[in-house]
Amino acid sequence: MEAVLNSPASDARAQSFEIRPFDGAVGAEIVGLDLAQPVSTEDFQRVHRAHLEHHVLVFRDQHITPAQQVDFSRRFGPLQIHVLHQFALPDHPEVLIVSNIRENGQPIGLGDAGHFWHSDISYVDKPSLGSFLHAQELPEEGGDTLFANQHTAYDALPAELRKAIAPLRAEHSYLAKYEELRSRSPWRPKLSQEQIDQVRPVVHPVVRTHPESGRKALFVSEHFTTRIVDVPEDESRQILAELFDLSTRPEHVYRHVWQARDMVFWDNRAVMHVAAGTPDHLRRKLYRTTIEGDAPF
């Protein structure tokens, strides 16, 4: 599948920028590309190839508007609107506010996003291709994000386990941990019936094939995966517990320490992520856009 070129860029001038791979499980930083300027087709395709190769891209020092973030994100495909629409940025429903800030006694965004390891929006028929997260306000300490490479996690599985899980399918549900998270945070809203209807459970392969690279990756998470279907409950729990442990071992993980105006773009078909947490008294605000992907196979 080729990335979608939805924004006209034929007249854009090429920019000079570097792609610097991280020395670790995943990731690269992009230095010198200004996303506030039109991105040429050639530069866009270079970014696209880097995203497939490194799975997590860190665009440094991006002084862009939410509209510019939306426009660049949309070049990879249609955008998904989060079910918690009350935390969408006014005038930009495609942008989810991720923040622990409260104004007039109310949260301005989703403050406990990423508490458990997960792949974004795996609980719909067409899970996310990838997510962009742009730093608006960062705490003086904490607030890191961890990414786990699910290709290398799959490759490292014992051969017998890889064979056993090859035909398996698992249920994903947005509601799996929702009430637990609400009990931890009084600021997480109660879902309306309309919202619940938008996130009915779906079933996906335990091992998915990346639609662009062809590589296999684990596709289960402690946040959204509830059970493996068509196997006994105790066996399902045992398999999932083992996969959850193996998928996030340190050798597969990159820890992102945010810098001012970073924008991070990760491949939800290749990695999982989790938030390391922010002290309650420190402010953190980021803007997220999420790109629709394909039905996993």
Side-chain angles (χ1 to χ4, degrees):
M1 183 185 79
E2 288 295 325
V4 180
L5 298 179
N6 285 328
S7 296
S10 57
D11 295 331
R13 297 177 60 182
Q15 300 185 49
S16 177
F17 63 95
E18 293 183 69
I19 300 172
R20 302 172 181 169
F22 295 138
D23 183 16
V26 71
E29 65 176 352
I30 294 185
V31 180
L33 181 65
D34 183 1
L35 297 180
Q37 303 299 320
V39 176
S40 70
T41 299
E42 181 182 355
D43 287 348
F44 175 81
Q45 292 294 0
R46 188 179 171 200
V47 169
H48 177 221
R49 290 192 297 270
H51 189 240
L52 293 179
E53 180 178 357
H54 302 293
H55 316 312
V56 178
L57 298 181
V58 181
F59 298 82
R60 298 293 191 190
D61 195 30
Q62 295 301 317
H63 295 260
I64 60 173
T65 66
Q68 289 168 329
Q69 179 176 344
V70 167
D71 288 345
F72 187 68
S73 303
R74 192 172 277 136
R75 290 185 66 176
F76 290 87
L79 301 188
Q80 294 172 308
I81 308 255
H82 198 278
V83 65
L84 293 179
H85 51 75
Q86 54 265 66
F87 294 141
L89 189 66
D91 301 324
H92 294 287
E94 308 93 341
V95 177
L96 176 71
I97 303 171
V98 177
S99 180
N100 65 351
I101 298 169
R102 294 191 289 271
E103 294 179 354
N104 300 318
Q106 296 298 318
I108 67 168
L110 185 56
D112 59 354
H115 185 82
F116 298 102
W117 283 103
H118 67 288
S119 173
D120 282 338
I121 315 187
S122 71
Y123 47 82
V124 299
D125 290 332
K126 292 183 177 180
S128 167
L129 177 157
S131 300
F132 282 92
L133 195 59
H134 187 212
Q136 305 296 310
E137 190 171 350
L138 297 174
E140 295 175 0
E141 61 180 277
D144 298 351
T145 305
L146 281 67
F147 296 92
N149 187 333
Q150 295 307 284
H151 292 310
T152 59
Y154 171 78
D155 292 343
L157 293 178
E160 186 175 334
L161 181 57
R162 280 205 308 273
K163 181 179 179 180
I165 65 174
L168 298 182
R169 294 169 62 80
E171 181 185 80
H172 294 238
S173 172
Y174 182 66
L175 304 181
K177 301 282 191 184
Y178 198 85
E179 290 306 315
E180 178 181 343
L181 289 169
R182 284 194 73 220
S183 70
R184 294 168 181 258
S185 169
W187 305 107
R188 182 173 274 259
K190 180 177 175 62
L191 295 175
S192 68
Q193 187 58 51
E194 180 183 4
Q195 288 173 310
I196 291 172
D197 291 342
Q198 291 175 28
V199 289
R200 296 189 182 280
V202 297
V203 174
H204 295 308
V206 169
V207 178
R208 72 175 298 177
T209 302
H210 197 289
E212 297 187 78
S213 71
R215 293 186 66 187
K216 293 188 180 299
L218 288 177
F219 196 60
V220 293
S221 74
E222 62 175 347
H223 193 160
F224 299 130
T225 305
T226 56
R227 64 189 176 95
I228 296 175
V229 300
D230 300 326
V231 303
E233 184 178 345
D234 58 343
E235 183 180 348
S236 170
R237 285 198 302 268
Q238 180 181 348
I239 293 172
L240 287 176
E242 187 171 6
L243 293 179
F244 294 162
D245 173 63
L246 294 172
S247 64
T248 58
R249 292 199 166 174
E251 59 265 32
H252 307 306
V253 173
Y254 157 66
R255 186 183 190 104
H256 182 64
V257 180
W258 289 84
Q259 298 179 21
R261 313 307 296 184
D262 274 355
M263 186 159 75
V264 178
F265 176 31
W266 64 89
D267 190 336
N268 281 304
R269 305 162 298 182
V271 302
M272 288 196 298
H273 63 284
V274 70
T278 302
D280 290 340
H281 66 285
L282 298 177
R283 292 165 60 98
R284 184 175 188 261
K285 182 171 73 170
L286 307 98
Y287 290 162
R288 194 185 90 182
T289 44
T290 310
I291 305 148
E292 182 180 83
D294 300 306
F297 62 91

